[in-house]
Amino acid sequence: ARSLESRADLLRAGRLAKVGRVNATHLSETWEDRVHRVADGIVTRNLDTIEAARGMIAQNGEHVAQLAANVAQQATEIDDTFELGNTSFIALQSSNRVGEV
């Protein structure tokens, strides 16, 4: 009777071990899949963030180029105004009317 009990215990232990292996494999595959999905999500978010940053950098570059063009235009206008004033002053000076103005 003892050997039958021992044999039944061994069979039961074998079944439990098999179920344990199946569960462990399933758990391992589930976690592996979850880790891959999380990693893919992180990589995708990082790529999206990098792409958005590139867009912002390009837009900032366009703004800087526009500001540089504005500064160049203003510098030209200042030079033109100075030249006009200088020419007018020279004309007044040469006609001896500087003191009358």
Side-chain angles (χ1 to χ4, degrees):
R2 265 187 167 302
S3 67
L4 286 178
E5 266 182 40
S6 298
R7 188 176 169 123
D9 288 343
L10 285 174
L11 288 173
R12 193 177 6 238
R15 282 193 302 273
L16 288 174
K18 183 178 178 183
V19 168
R21 279 194 302 276
V22 168
N23 287 341
T25 300
H26 177 69
L27 183 62
S28 174
E29 290 169 353
T30 300
W31 274 105
E32 186 176 335
D33 181 54
R34 188 169 291 159
V35 166
H36 284 295
R37 280 189 281 133
V38 168
D40 287 347
I42 290 169
V43 168
T44 299
R45 281 194 302 276
N46 285 344
L47 291 175
D48 290 347
T49 301
I50 289 167
E51 207 49 44
R54 284 182 179 158
M56 288 174 18
I57 289 168
Q59 188 175 18
N60 286 344
E62 291 171 9
H63 289 159
V64 168
Q66 184 60 49
L67 288 172
N70 291 346
V71 167
Q73 177 65 32
Q74 289 172 359
T76 300
E77 290 172 7
I78 289 168
D79 284 346
D80 291 348
T81 303
F82 179 78
E83 279 300 315
L84 183 61
N86 196 29
T87 302
S88 297
F89 180 77
I90 290 170
L92 284 173
Q93 189 178 30
S94 64
S95 68
N96 289 323
R97 292 194 283 166
V98 172
E100 298 174 13
V101 173

